[in-house]
Amino acid sequence: MSTAEETAGGDTSAWGEVTPDAARRLLIAAVEAFAERGYHATTTRDIAGRAGMSPAALYIHYKTKEELLHRISRIGHEKALEILRTASRREGTAAERLADAVSSFVRWHAGGRTTARVVQYELDSLGPDARAEILALRRQCDAEVRGIIEDGVAAGDFDVLDVKGTTLAVLSLCIDVARWFSVDGPWAPDEVGALYADLVLRMVGVK
Amino acid sequence: MSTAEETAGGDTSAWGEVTPDAARRLLIAAVEAFAERGYHATTTRDIAGRAGMSPAALYIHYKTKEELLHRISRIGHEKALEILRTASRREGTAAERLADAVSSFVRWHAGGRTTARVVQYELDSLGPDARAEILALRRQCDAEVRGIIEDGVAAGDFDVLDVKGTTLAVLSLCIDVARWFSVDGPWAPDEVGALYADLVLRMVGVK
DNA sequence: GCTGAAGGTGAGCGGGCGCTTAGCGTGGCC
DNA sequence: GGCCACGCTAAGCGCCCGCTCACCTTCAGC
């Protein structure tokens, strides 16, 4: 896992690679606005206002409103893929690797709920080209999880009827955390991660 | 389960209660448009056009665009609740009732994907009052599933660590089907329903 | 101190939005 | 046939959208 998970309160970390400072502030403002109201219901005036700038400033750093979503989506998906890859490539049994992947992936969706919501649910608002690029990243995420499950089946550790379907279900379960998780709810991201890791191990019939 | 599930090809059934005919055509057009592009990206001109009417016709049958979403959402949630209730109240072991609930609920999300998408993912576009009304229906859905799981635990049939969390995960898994399911994909609604019923029985540790 | 690049602003454009209104065609009732 | 209620349309209002443009500041380099 990464050295520092996104903190609660306003996951503004992990955008360090975005420069200059004004461009990063606009990006973070866009993430928050998109997460709260959705891409289409968010106005460029709202984004600029949150970043403490005039509406015109947005267009110095980004060509269009859609470019903002594209950048957010790509960075987010790359982070998600990195999380799954790290868990997949560590040492240990398939069960340990799968539990690690699920718990860290869920922690990211719960803790960085704001970002994850945009990343997972605003995909359809991208144009065809950007969308295709992001879908390629998603297929890689799928491949990482499927790889772990296939390893478990091959080693005789898992009992799975349908590898493809189970992979989809596992990812679906994790992703949907971004929809329902709330910081005001009864669980901390860690707790959901642990619960979900247990549930997923049951789903793959770990022995 | 109901006598007739929604058919593929354009789930226009189940709107029989909406009259007159023009109002129903507008509602079905709105469901399709909202599912394809999202509530905020859909225009009233688009809805009216799909229904073969002029933009102004919409306002004879509905006060606002939001009222359309509200009506769709309420009818959809009532249908979802009815599906879960029917499964919950049938005879049989907790495992049989849970498998029934999950498979029929998933079949509805997969087969009536268009409607389910709007119902499950456009909730935030409703105003506070309408939203509160719909959330009450969602809590009832949650209660039906939790009831079955509690029955299974009480009877000693299930092995569950966290009833509330597991209930949430089961519902989350089913609901997210509306996001990823495609009629062009490799599965039929029935197949996903059967797969998911098996996965959920594993999650609750059925003995 | 002058200059040019970089990063910002205020004002506003063209257009499409949700929604309204005046008026038209039509079928039921006397 | 005369009348009216109803369902609908054509036209368009007022607003706010994404985005642009002319201009202003700041500051490094010389």
Side-chain angles (χ1 to χ4, degrees):
Chain A
M1 285 143 290
S2 60
T3 50
E5 282 301 314
E6 303 185 22
T7 54
D11 45 71
T12 57
S13 57
W15 301 112
E17 64 180 88
V18 181
T19 53
D21 182 65
R24 181 170 53 248
R25 271 161 46 219
L26 284 165
L27 202 87
I28 291 168
V31 170
E32 290 172 359
F34 292 162
E36 267 178 39
R37 314 151 67 85
Y39 175 77
H40 287 290
T42 299
T43 69
T44 53
R45 284 163 177 82
D46 183 23
I47 297 169
R50 283 174 193 252
M53 305 168 95
S54 76
L58 196 151
Y59 295 90
I60 294 165
H61 300 282
Y62 302 95
K63 270 214 299 287
T64 61
K65 177 179 151 186
E66 195 197 318
E67 192 192 327
L68 267 167
L69 179 59
H70 185 194
R71 289 267 255 267
I72 291 166
S73 201
R74 192 174 55 226
I75 293 173
H77 274 90
E78 280 165 356
K79 179 68 183 168
L81 181 54
E82 183 205 311
I83 288 170
L84 292 175
R85 218 165 236 167
T86 303
S88 173
R89 296 185 178 172
R90 55 159 269 189
E91 293 175 28
T93 65
E96 286 164 354
R97 287 158 59 220
L98 185 59
D100 193 355
V102 168
S103 68
S104 52
F105 198 49
V106 165
R107 268 205 309 279
W108 181 70
H109 278 85
R113 193 186 107 277
T114 311
T115 304
R117 245 180 219 204
V118 179
V119 165
Q120 301 294 359
Y121 292 102
E122 299 293 340
L123 199 65
D124 291 339
S125 302
L126 288 171
D129 292 353
R131 206 179 123 88
E133 183 202 320
I134 301 297
L135 284 178
L137 284 169
R138 292 179 82 91
R139 276 191 294 275
Q140 289 184 58
C141 289
D142 186 272
E144 292 296 335
V145 174
R146 197 172 57 245
I148 306 176
I149 293 178
E150 281 168 350
D151 288 349
V153 171
D157 294 341
F158 294 171
D159 169 30
V160 174
L161 291 175
D162 177 344
V163 171
K164 208 166 139 198
T166 303
T167 301
L168 191 56
V170 168
L171 273 169
S172 166
L173 193 64
C174 296
I175 286 170
D176 202 53
V177 168
R179 183 181 56 85
W180 62 259
F181 186 84
S182 160
V183 286
D184 303 327
W187 292 288
D190 270 355
E191 294 168 336
V192 183
L195 172 64
Y196 269 48
D198 173 67
L199 290 173
V200 166
L201 290 185
R202 292 168 177 231
M203 284 166 75
V204 298
V206 71
K207 290 159 187 169
Chain B
M1 279 142 291
S2 58
T3 49
E5 281 301 313
E6 303 186 25
T7 53
D11 46 70
T12 56
S13 56
W15 301 113
E17 63 180 272
V18 182
T19 51
D21 182 66
R24 183 170 51 249
R25 270 159 50 216
L26 283 163
L27 202 87
I28 291 167
V31 169
E32 288 171 2
F34 291 162
E36 265 178 40
R37 317 152 66 88
Y39 175 78
H40 286 291
T42 299
T43 70
T44 53
R45 284 163 178 82
D46 184 21
I47 296 169
R50 284 175 191 250
M53 305 167 97
S54 78
L58 197 151
Y59 293 90
I60 294 163
H61 300 283
Y62 302 96
K63 270 214 299 288
T64 62
K65 176 179 151 186
E66 196 197 317
E67 192 192 328
L68 267 167
L69 179 59
H70 185 194
R71 289 266 257 266
I72 292 166
S73 202
R74 193 177 50 224
I75 293 172
H77 274 89
E78 281 165 355
K79 178 71 184 165
L81 181 54
E82 181 205 312
I83 288 170
L84 292 176
R85 220 166 236 168
T86 302
S88 173
R89 296 185 177 172
R90 56 160 267 189
E91 293 174 31
T93 65
E96 286 164 354
R97 288 158 57 217
L98 185 59
D100 193 356
V102 168
S103 67
S104 53
F105 199 48
V106 165
R107 268 204 310 276
W108 182 70
H109 278 84
R113 193 185 106 276
T114 312
T115 303
R117 243 180 223 201
V118 178
V119 165
Q120 300 295 0
Y121 292 102
E122 299 293 342
L123 200 65
D124 290 341
S125 301
L126 287 171
D129 291 353
R131 206 180 124 86
E133 182 202 321
I134 301 298
L135 284 178
L137 285 168
R138 292 179 82 91
R139 275 191 295 275
Q140 291 184 57
C141 290
D142 187 272
E144 293 296 334
V145 174
R146 197 173 57 244
I148 305 177
I149 293 178
E150 281 169 351
D151 288 348
V153 171
D157 294 341
F158 295 171
D159 169 31
V160 174
L161 291 175
D162 178 342
V163 171
K164 207 166 137 195
T166 303
T167 301
L168 191 55
V170 168
L171 273 170
S172 165
L173 192 63
C174 296
I175 286 170
D176 202 53
V177 168
R179 184 181 55 85
W180 62 259
F181 186 83
S182 160
V183 285
D184 303 327
W187 293 288
D190 270 355
E191 293 168 335
V192 183
L195 173 64
Y196 269 49
D198 173 67
L199 289 173
V200 166
L201 290 185
R202 292 167 177 232
M203 284 165 76
V204 297
V206 72
K207 286 162 189 168

